[in-house]
PDB file of all heavy atoms in Angstrom:
ATOM      1  N   GLY A 353       0.808  -1.188  -0.015  1.00 98.00           N
ATOM      2  CA  GLY A 353       0.017  -0.013  -0.034  1.00 98.00           C
ATOM      3  C   GLY A 353       0.877   1.247  -0.067  1.00 98.00           C
ATOM      4  O   GLY A 353       2.039   1.190  -0.211  1.00 98.00           O
ATOM      5  N   LEU A 354       0.217   2.375   0.280  1.00 98.00           N
ATOM      6  CA  LEU A 354       0.814   3.673   0.330  1.00 98.00           C
ATOM      7  C   LEU A 354       1.006   4.164   1.747  1.00 98.00           C
ATOM      8  O   LEU A 354      -0.030   4.247   2.496  1.00 98.00           O
ATOM      9  CB  LEU A 354       0.013   4.668  -0.537  1.00 98.00           C
ATOM     10  CG  LEU A 354       0.454   6.115  -0.492  1.00 98.00           C
ATOM     11  CD1 LEU A 354       1.884   6.287  -1.102  1.00 98.00           C
ATOM     12  CD2 LEU A 354      -0.517   7.009  -1.206  1.00 98.00           C
ATOM     13  N   VAL A 355       2.160   4.441   2.150  1.00 98.00           N
ATOM     14  CA  VAL A 355       2.387   4.964   3.515  1.00 98.00           C
ATOM     15  C   VAL A 355       3.330   6.144   3.501  1.00 98.00           C
ATOM     16  O   VAL A 355       4.121   6.387   2.552  1.00 98.00           O
ATOM     17  CB  VAL A 355       2.977   3.840   4.440  1.00 98.00           C
ATOM     18  CG1 VAL A 355       2.035   2.715   4.534  1.00 98.00           C
ATOM     19  CG2 VAL A 355       4.325   3.375   3.910  1.00 98.00           C
ATOM     20  N   GLN A 356       3.332   6.891   4.549  1.00 98.00           N
ATOM     21  CA  GLN A 356       4.267   7.968   4.693  1.00 98.00           C
ATOM     22  C   GLN A 356       5.604   7.511   5.273  1.00 98.00           C
ATOM     23  O   GLN A 356       5.616   6.523   5.928  1.00 98.00           O
ATOM     24  CB  GLN A 356       3.707   9.122   5.587  1.00 98.00           C
ATOM     25  CG  GLN A 356       2.412   9.848   5.086  1.00 98.00           C
ATOM     26  CD  GLN A 356       2.040  10.983   5.932  1.00 98.00           C
ATOM     27  OE1 GLN A 356       2.244  10.942   7.099  1.00 98.00           O
ATOM     28  NE2 GLN A 356       1.433  11.980   5.280  1.00 98.00           N
ATOM     29  N   ALA A 357       6.679   8.261   4.948  1.00 98.00           N
ATOM     30  CA  ALA A 357       7.941   7.855   5.513  1.00 98.00           C
ATOM     31  C   ALA A 357       7.877   7.815   7.059  1.00 98.00           C
ATOM     32  O   ALA A 357       7.245   8.591   7.726  1.00 98.00           O
ATOM     33  CB  ALA A 357       9.003   8.953   5.108  1.00 98.00           C
ATOM     34  N   GLY A 358       8.550   6.768   7.592  1.00 98.00           N
ATOM     35  CA  GLY A 358       8.428   6.541   9.049  1.00 98.00           C
ATOM     36  C   GLY A 358       7.356   5.594   9.435  1.00 98.00           C
ATOM     37  O   GLY A 358       7.306   5.126  10.576  1.00 98.00           O
ATOM     38  N   GLY A 359       6.471   5.254   8.477  1.00 98.00           N
ATOM     39  CA  GLY A 359       5.346   4.351   8.839  1.00 98.00           C
ATOM     40  C   GLY A 359       5.747   2.851   8.682  1.00 98.00           C
ATOM     41  O   GLY A 359       6.911   2.525   8.454  1.00 98.00           O
ATOM     42  N   SER A 360       4.798   2.061   8.917  1.00 98.00           N
ATOM     43  CA  SER A 360       4.973   0.638   8.909  1.00 98.00           C
ATOM     44  C   SER A 360       3.985  -0.118   8.013  1.00 98.00           C
ATOM     45  O   SER A 360       2.871   0.296   7.842  1.00 98.00           O
ATOM     46  CB  SER A 360       4.917   0.036  10.267  1.00 98.00           C
ATOM     47  OG  SER A 360       5.922   0.596  11.160  1.00 98.00           O
ATOM     48  N   LEU A 361       4.400  -1.214   7.536  1.00 98.00           N
ATOM     49  CA  LEU A 361       3.528  -2.179   6.732  1.00 98.00           C
ATOM     50  C   LEU A 361       3.909  -3.550   7.106  1.00 98.00           C
ATOM     51  O   LEU A 361       5.127  -3.855   7.363  1.00 98.00           O
ATOM     52  CB  LEU A 361       3.655  -1.980   5.227  1.00 98.00           C
ATOM     53  CG  LEU A 361       2.973  -0.770   4.623  1.00 98.00           C
ATOM     54  CD1 LEU A 361       3.286  -0.680   3.113  1.00 98.00           C
ATOM     55  CD2 LEU A 361       1.448  -0.906   4.796  1.00 98.00           C
ATOM     56  N   ARG A 362       3.004  -4.513   6.958  1.00 98.00           N
ATOM     57  CA  ARG A 362       3.321  -5.884   7.168  1.00 98.00           C
ATOM     58  C   ARG A 362       2.841  -6.692   5.949  1.00 98.00           C
ATOM     59  O   ARG A 362       1.616  -6.724   5.631  1.00 98.00           O
ATOM     60  CB  ARG A 362       2.607  -6.468   8.415  1.00 98.00           C
ATOM     61  CG  ARG A 362       3.020  -7.935   8.788  1.00 98.00           C
ATOM     62  CD  ARG A 362       2.371  -8.359  10.079  1.00 98.00           C
ATOM     63  NE  ARG A 362       2.846  -9.634  10.528  1.00 98.00           N
ATOM     64  CZ  ARG A 362       2.142 -10.736  10.670  1.00 98.00           C
ATOM     65  NH1 ARG A 362       0.862 -10.691  10.396  1.00 98.00           N
ATOM     66  NH2 ARG A 362       2.720 -11.839  11.147  1.00 98.00           N
ATOM     67  N   LEU A 363       3.746  -7.272   5.220  1.00 98.00           N
ATOM     68  CA  LEU A 363       3.429  -8.063   4.069  1.00 98.00           C
ATOM     69  C   LEU A 363       3.267  -9.517   4.414  1.00 98.00           C
ATOM     70  O   LEU A 363       3.914  -9.999   5.275  1.00 98.00           O
ATOM     71  CB  LEU A 363       4.533  -7.917   3.014  1.00 98.00           C
ATOM     72  CG  LEU A 363       4.950  -6.553   2.545  1.00 98.00           C
ATOM     73  CD1 LEU A 363       5.983  -6.621   1.456  1.00 98.00           C
ATOM     74  CD2 LEU A 363       3.775  -5.765   2.093  1.00 98.00           C
ATOM     75  N   SER A 364       2.251 -10.156   3.757  1.00 98.00           N
ATOM     76  CA  SER A 364       2.045 -11.534   3.951  1.00 98.00           C
ATOM     77  C   SER A 364       2.168 -12.320   2.659  1.00 98.00           C
ATOM     78  O   SER A 364       1.872 -11.749   1.618  1.00 98.00           O
ATOM     79  CB  SER A 364       0.673 -11.744   4.549  1.00 98.00           C
ATOM     80  OG  SER A 364       0.555 -11.113   5.815  1.00 98.00           O
ATOM     81  N   CYS A 365       2.559 -13.575   2.728  1.00 97.00           N
ATOM     82  CA  CYS A 365       2.581 -14.403   1.560  1.00 97.00           C
ATOM     83  C   CYS A 365       2.098 -15.737   1.883  1.00 97.00           C
ATOM     84  O   CYS A 365       2.589 -16.416   2.870  1.00 97.00           O
ATOM     85  CB  CYS A 365       4.045 -14.525   1.043  1.00 97.00           C
ATOM     86  SG  CYS A 365       4.259 -15.679  -0.360  1.00 97.00           S
ATOM     87  N   ALA A 366       1.139 -16.265   1.189  1.00 96.00           N
ATOM     88  CA  ALA A 366       0.550 -17.632   1.414  1.00 96.00           C
ATOM     89  C   ALA A 366       0.933 -18.558   0.355  1.00 96.00           C
ATOM     90  O   ALA A 366       0.756 -18.220  -0.893  1.00 96.00           O
ATOM     91  CB  ALA A 366      -0.927 -17.522   1.573  1.00 96.00           C
ATOM     92  N   ALA A 367       1.447 -19.716   0.629  1.00 96.00           N
ATOM     93  CA  ALA A 367       1.779 -20.755  -0.318  1.00 96.00           C
ATOM     94  C   ALA A 367       0.627 -21.785  -0.249  1.00 96.00           C
ATOM     95  O   ALA A 367       0.138 -22.175   0.792  1.00 96.00           O
ATOM     96  CB  ALA A 367       3.049 -21.455   0.130  1.00 96.00           C
ATOM     97  N   SER A 368       0.196 -22.180  -1.421  1.00 94.00           N
ATOM     98  CA  SER A 368      -0.920 -23.121  -1.492  1.00 94.00           C
ATOM     99  C   SER A 368      -0.689 -24.044  -2.688  1.00 94.00           C
ATOM    100  O   SER A 368       0.160 -23.863  -3.530  1.00 94.00           O
ATOM    101  CB  SER A 368      -2.241 -22.402  -1.687  1.00 94.00           C
ATOM    102  OG  SER A 368      -2.284 -21.631  -2.885  1.00 94.00           O
ATOM    103  N   GLY A 369      -1.505 -25.147  -2.739  1.00 93.00           N
ATOM    104  CA  GLY A 369      -1.363 -26.117  -3.784  1.00 93.00           C
ATOM    105  C   GLY A 369      -0.933 -27.406  -3.285  1.00 93.00           C
ATOM    106  O   GLY A 369      -1.007 -27.721  -2.059  1.00 93.00           O
ATOM    107  N   SER A 370      -0.329 -28.227  -4.109  1.00 92.00           N
ATOM    108  CA  SER A 370       0.174 -29.554  -3.719  1.00 92.00           C
ATOM    109  C   SER A 370       1.655 -29.304  -3.221  1.00 92.00           C
ATOM    110  O   SER A 370       2.610 -29.353  -3.974  1.00 92.00           O
ATOM    111  CB  SER A 370       0.170 -30.499  -4.906  1.00 92.00           C
ATOM    112  OG  SER A 370       0.616 -31.800  -4.499  1.00 92.00           O
ATOM    113  N   ILE A 371       1.767 -29.126  -1.904  1.00 93.00           N
ATOM    114  CA  ILE A 371       3.013 -28.846  -1.243  1.00 93.00           C
ATOM    115  C   ILE A 371       3.591 -30.013  -0.494  1.00 93.00           C
ATOM    116  O   ILE A 371       2.916 -30.525   0.456  1.00 93.00           O
ATOM    117  CB  ILE A 371       2.964 -27.646  -0.350  1.00 93.00           C
ATOM    118  CG1 ILE A 371       2.451 -26.411  -1.072  1.00 93.00           C
ATOM    119  CG2 ILE A 371       4.294 -27.365   0.380  1.00 93.00           C
ATOM    120  CD1 ILE A 371       2.177 -25.246  -0.184  1.00 93.00           C
ATOM    121  N   TYR A 372       4.697 -30.582  -0.880  1.00 94.00           N
ATOM    122  CA  TYR A 372       5.353 -31.710  -0.202  1.00 94.00           C
ATOM    123  C   TYR A 372       6.231 -31.138   0.916  1.00 94.00           C
ATOM    124  O   TYR A 372       6.155 -31.647   2.053  1.00 94.00           O
ATOM    125  CB  TYR A 372       6.134 -32.503  -1.195  1.00 94.00           C
ATOM    126  CG  TYR A 372       6.810 -33.738  -0.493  1.00 94.00           C
ATOM    127  CD1 TYR A 372       6.095 -34.921  -0.276  1.00 94.00           C
ATOM    128  CD2 TYR A 372       8.175 -33.674  -0.153  1.00 94.00           C
ATOM    129  CE1 TYR A 372       6.685 -35.970   0.325  1.00 94.00           C
ATOM    130  CE2 TYR A 372       8.798 -34.777   0.489  1.00 94.00           C
ATOM    131  CZ  TYR A 372       8.012 -35.888   0.666  1.00 94.00           C
ATOM    132  OH  TYR A 372       8.657 -36.993   1.275  1.00 94.00           O
ATOM    133  N   SER A 373       7.005 -30.094   0.592  1.00 94.00           N
ATOM    134  CA  SER A 373       7.800 -29.492   1.613  1.00 94.00           C
ATOM    135  C   SER A 373       8.249 -28.111   1.052  1.00 94.00           C
ATOM    136  O   SER A 373       8.183 -27.890  -0.115  1.00 94.00           O
ATOM    137  CB  SER A 373       9.086 -30.355   1.949  1.00 94.00           C
ATOM    138  OG  SER A 373       9.911 -30.470   0.822  1.00 94.00           O
ATOM    139  N   ILE A 374       8.715 -27.283   2.032  1.00 95.00           N
ATOM    140  CA  ILE A 374       9.180 -25.897   1.672  1.00 95.00           C
ATOM    141  C   ILE A 374      10.503 -25.696   2.307  1.00 95.00           C
ATOM    142  O   ILE A 374      10.642 -25.941   3.488  1.00 95.00           O
ATOM    143  CB  ILE A 374       8.149 -24.786   2.082  1.00 95.00           C
ATOM    144  CG1 ILE A 374       6.794 -25.108   1.488  1.00 95.00           C
ATOM    145  CG2 ILE A 374       8.726 -23.473   1.629  1.00 95.00           C
ATOM    146  CD1 ILE A 374       5.752 -24.069   1.966  1.00 95.00           C
ATOM    147  N   GLY A 375      11.486 -25.291   1.529  1.00 95.00           N
ATOM    148  CA  GLY A 375      12.836 -24.925   2.046  1.00 95.00           C
ATOM    149  C   GLY A 375      12.819 -23.510   2.400  1.00 95.00           C
ATOM    150  O   GLY A 375      12.012 -23.038   3.220  1.00 95.00           O
ATOM    151  N   ALA A 376      13.728 -22.775   1.865  1.00 96.00           N
ATOM    152  CA  ALA A 376      13.930 -21.332   2.221  1.00 96.00           C
ATOM    153  C   ALA A 376      12.675 -20.569   1.592  1.00 96.00           C
ATOM    154  O   ALA A 376      12.221 -20.835   0.550  1.00 96.00           O
ATOM    155  CB  ALA A 376      15.251 -20.841   1.626  1.00 96.00           C
ATOM    156  N   MET A 377      12.334 -19.504   2.367  1.00 96.00           N
ATOM    157  CA  MET A 377      11.358 -18.594   1.826  1.00 96.00           C
ATOM    158  C   MET A 377      11.903 -17.195   2.068  1.00 96.00           C
ATOM    159  O   MET A 377      12.701 -16.928   2.973  1.00 96.00           O
ATOM    160  CB  MET A 377      10.055 -18.688   2.651  1.00 96.00           C
ATOM    161  CG  MET A 377       9.376 -20.029   2.475  1.00 96.00           C
ATOM    162  SD  MET A 377       7.723 -20.111   3.273  1.00 96.00           S
ATOM    163  CE  MET A 377       6.760 -19.269   2.003  1.00 96.00           C
ATOM    164  N   GLY A 378      11.439 -16.254   1.238  1.00 97.00           N
ATOM    165  CA  GLY A 378      12.015 -14.889   1.395  1.00 97.00           C
ATOM    166  C   GLY A 378      11.225 -13.837   0.564  1.00 97.00           C
ATOM    167  O   GLY A 378      10.240 -14.147  -0.079  1.00 97.00           O
ATOM    168  N   TRP A 379      11.835 -12.635   0.584  1.00 98.00           N
ATOM    169  CA  TRP A 379      11.246 -11.575  -0.124  1.00 98.00           C
ATOM    170  C   TRP A 379      12.328 -10.839  -0.989  1.00 98.00           C
ATOM    171  O   TRP A 379      13.454 -10.631  -0.482  1.00 98.00           O
ATOM    172  CB  TRP A 379      10.650 -10.478   0.816  1.00 98.00           C
ATOM    173  CG  TRP A 379       9.522 -11.027   1.641  1.00 98.00           C
ATOM    174  CD1 TRP A 379       9.517 -11.662   2.832  1.00 98.00           C
ATOM    175  CD2 TRP A 379       8.145 -10.895   1.292  1.00 98.00           C
ATOM    176  NE1 TRP A 379       8.281 -11.994   3.201  1.00 98.00           N
ATOM    177  CE2 TRP A 379       7.387 -11.535   2.281  1.00 98.00           C
ATOM    178  CE3 TRP A 379       7.426 -10.315   0.218  1.00 98.00           C
ATOM    179  CZ2 TRP A 379       5.941 -11.556   2.229  1.00 98.00           C
ATOM    180  CZ3 TRP A 379       6.062 -10.426   0.150  1.00 98.00           C
ATOM    181  CH2 TRP A 379       5.379 -10.998   1.198  1.00 98.00           C
ATOM    182  N   SER A 380      11.992 -10.422  -2.124  1.00 98.00           N
ATOM    183  CA  SER A 380      12.819  -9.612  -2.933  1.00 98.00           C
ATOM    184  C   SER A 380      12.013  -8.377  -3.439  1.00 98.00           C
ATOM    185  O   SER A 380      10.783  -8.379  -3.285  1.00 98.00           O
ATOM    186  CB  SER A 380      13.388 -10.386  -4.223  1.00 98.00           C
ATOM    187  OG  SER A 380      12.301 -10.821  -5.036  1.00 98.00           O
ATOM    188  N   ARG A 381      12.706  -7.413  -3.936  1.00 98.00           N
ATOM    189  CA  ARG A 381      11.901  -6.208  -4.401  1.00 98.00           C
ATOM    190  C   ARG A 381      12.643  -5.616  -5.658  1.00 98.00           C
ATOM    191  O   ARG A 381      13.801  -5.847  -5.865  1.00 98.00           O
ATOM    192  CB  ARG A 381      11.871  -5.151  -3.288  1.00 98.00           C
ATOM    193  CG  ARG A 381      13.255  -4.499  -2.956  1.00 98.00           C
ATOM    194  CD  ARG A 381      13.096  -3.575  -1.771  1.00 98.00           C
ATOM    195  NE  ARG A 381      14.334  -2.964  -1.421  1.00 98.00           N
ATOM    196  CZ  ARG A 381      14.508  -2.103  -0.353  1.00 98.00           C
ATOM    197  NH1 ARG A 381      13.484  -1.889   0.423  1.00 98.00           N
ATOM    198  NH2 ARG A 381      15.700  -1.589  -0.149  1.00 98.00           N
ATOM    199  N   GLN A 382      11.817  -4.850  -6.359  1.00 98.00           N
ATOM    200  CA  GLN A 382      12.338  -4.165  -7.541  1.00 98.00           C
ATOM    201  C   GLN A 382      11.760  -2.804  -7.594  1.00 98.00           C
ATOM    202  O   GLN A 382      10.539  -2.644  -7.816  1.00 98.00           O
ATOM    203  CB  GLN A 382      12.098  -4.914  -8.781  1.00 98.00           C
ATOM    204  CG  GLN A 382      12.763  -4.357 -10.112  1.00 98.00           C
ATOM    205  CD  GLN A 382      12.612  -5.273 -11.261  1.00 98.00           C
ATOM    206  OE1 GLN A 382      11.797  -6.121 -11.273  1.00 98.00           O
ATOM    207  NE2 GLN A 382      13.593  -5.055 -12.195  1.00 98.00           N
ATOM    208  N   GLY A 383      12.536  -1.733  -7.413  1.00 96.00           N
ATOM    209  CA  GLY A 383      12.092  -0.408  -7.505  1.00 96.00           C
ATOM    210  C   GLY A 383      12.133   0.124  -8.919  1.00 96.00           C
ATOM    211  O   GLY A 383      12.715  -0.554  -9.791  1.00 96.00           O
ATOM    212  N   PRO A 384      11.533   1.265  -9.141  1.00 90.00           N
ATOM    213  CA  PRO A 384      11.532   1.856 -10.562  1.00 90.00           C
ATOM    214  C   PRO A 384      12.912   2.122 -11.027  1.00 90.00           C
ATOM    215  O   PRO A 384      13.665   2.789 -10.361  1.00 90.00           O
ATOM    216  CB  PRO A 384      10.686   3.101 -10.394  1.00 90.00           C
ATOM    217  CG  PRO A 384      10.757   3.484  -8.893  1.00 90.00           C
ATOM    218  CD  PRO A 384      10.869   2.140  -8.200  1.00 90.00           C
ATOM    219  N   GLY A 385      13.260   1.565 -12.184  1.00 91.00           N
ATOM    220  CA  GLY A 385      14.547   1.794 -12.757  1.00 91.00           C
ATOM    221  C   GLY A 385      15.663   1.066 -12.050  1.00 91.00           C
ATOM    222  O   GLY A 385      16.827   1.358 -12.348  1.00 91.00           O
ATOM    223  N   LYS A 386      15.390   0.115 -11.246  1.00 93.00           N
ATOM    224  CA  LYS A 386      16.406  -0.652 -10.491  1.00 93.00           C
ATOM    225  C   LYS A 386      16.244  -2.136 -10.766  1.00 93.00           C
ATOM    226  O   LYS A 386      15.236  -2.598 -11.172  1.00 93.00           O
ATOM    227  CB  LYS A 386      16.241  -0.420  -8.954  1.00 93.00           C
ATOM    228  CG  LYS A 386      16.375   1.056  -8.588  1.00 93.00           C
ATOM    229  CD  LYS A 386      16.276   1.266  -7.071  1.00 93.00           C
ATOM    230  CE  LYS A 386      16.389   2.661  -6.619  1.00 93.00           C
ATOM    231  NZ  LYS A 386      16.177   2.856  -5.159  1.00 93.00           N
ATOM    232  N   GLN A 387      17.328  -2.817 -10.466  1.00 94.00           N
ATOM    233  CA  GLN A 387      17.316  -4.323 -10.643  1.00 94.00           C
ATOM    234  C   GLN A 387      16.722  -4.935  -9.346  1.00 94.00           C
ATOM    235  O   GLN A 387      16.719  -4.356  -8.264  1.00 94.00           O
ATOM    236  CB  GLN A 387      18.740  -4.828 -10.806  1.00 94.00           C
ATOM    237  CG  GLN A 387      19.394  -4.436 -12.084  1.00 94.00           C
ATOM    238  CD  GLN A 387      20.738  -5.041 -12.313  1.00 94.00           C
ATOM    239  OE1 GLN A 387      21.236  -5.808 -11.482  1.00 94.00           O
ATOM    240  NE2 GLN A 387      21.372  -4.800 -13.455  1.00 94.00           N
ATOM    241  N   ARG A 388      16.167  -6.129  -9.486  1.00 95.00           N
ATOM    242  CA  ARG A 388      15.629  -6.799  -8.371  1.00 95.00           C
ATOM    243  C   ARG A 388      16.717  -7.191  -7.371  1.00 95.00           C
ATOM    244  O   ARG A 388      17.842  -7.626  -7.763  1.00 95.00           O
ATOM    245  CB  ARG A 388      14.870  -8.054  -8.862  1.00 95.00           C
ATOM    246  CG  ARG A 388      14.064  -8.749  -7.752  1.00 95.00           C
ATOM    247  CD  ARG A 388      13.205  -9.980  -8.223  1.00 95.00           C
ATOM    248  NE  ARG A 388      12.179  -9.446  -9.168  1.00 95.00           N
ATOM    249  CZ  ARG A 388      11.183 -10.208  -9.582  1.00 95.00           C
ATOM    250  NH1 ARG A 388      11.083 -11.429  -9.181  1.00 95.00           N
ATOM    251  NH2 ARG A 388      10.342  -9.691 -10.425  1.00 95.00           N
ATOM    252  N   GLU A 389      16.381  -7.052  -6.089  1.00 96.00           N
ATOM    253  CA  GLU A 389      17.344  -7.382  -5.037  1.00 96.00           C
ATOM    254  C   GLU A 389      16.705  -8.225  -3.953  1.00 96.00           C
ATOM    255  O   GLU A 389      15.517  -8.065  -3.658  1.00 96.00           O
ATOM    256  CB  GLU A 389      18.025  -6.144  -4.426  1.00 96.00           C
ATOM    257  CG  GLU A 389      16.987  -5.224  -3.749  1.00 96.00           C
ATOM    258  CD  GLU A 389      17.621  -4.059  -3.040  1.00 96.00           C
ATOM    259  OE1 GLU A 389      18.859  -4.058  -2.829  1.00 96.00           O
ATOM    260  OE2 GLU A 389      16.884  -3.093  -2.636  1.00 96.00           O
ATOM    261  N   LEU A 390      17.493  -9.022  -3.265  1.00 96.00           N
ATOM    262  CA  LEU A 390      17.003  -9.741  -2.133  1.00 96.00           C
ATOM    263  C   LEU A 390      16.849  -8.779  -0.952  1.00 96.00           C
ATOM    264  O   LEU A 390      17.755  -8.072  -0.633  1.00 96.00           O
ATOM    265  CB  LEU A 390      18.001 -10.886  -1.793  1.00 96.00           C
ATOM    266  CG  LEU A 390      17.711 -11.709  -0.495  1.00 96.00           C
ATOM    267  CD1 LEU A 390      16.403 -12.504  -0.677  1.00 96.00           C
ATOM    268  CD2 LEU A 390      18.829 -12.565  -0.117  1.00 96.00           C
ATOM    269  N   VAL A 391      15.702  -8.903  -0.303  1.00 98.00           N
ATOM    270  CA  VAL A 391      15.468  -8.087   0.935  1.00 98.00           C
ATOM    271  C   VAL A 391      15.693  -8.915   2.170  1.00 98.00           C
ATOM    272  O   VAL A 391      16.396  -8.529   3.069  1.00 98.00           O
ATOM    273  CB  VAL A 391      14.033  -7.555   0.898  1.00 98.00           C
ATOM    274  CG1 VAL A 391      13.719  -6.801   2.160  1.00 98.00           C
ATOM    275  CG2 VAL A 391      13.834  -6.630  -0.318  1.00 98.00           C
TER     276      VAL A 391
END
C-alpha cells in the first residue's frame, strides 16, 4: 500500500497447492529503474 515515511507495513505471503515441503522462503523487491534485489 501507500504509507508516509516513518510508517510501517506488514506483508504476507501464502503458499498453496500440492506442497510436499518448503525450504527457504523470502522476499525480494524491484524499485523503478532498479534491478531486483534480495530483501
Side-chain angles (χ1 to χ4, degrees):
L354 174 64
V355 298
Q356 292 184 334
S360 299
L361 282 175
R362 186 176 190 243
L363 305 183
S364 299
C365 174
S368 62
S370 182
I371 302 173
Y372 182 80
S373 66
I374 304 178
M377 299 186 77
W379 295 88
S380 62
R381 68 185 182 185
Q382 186 168 23
K386 301 179 180 179
Q387 295 185 357
R388 186 173 297 190
E389 64 174 346
L390 174 69
V391 175

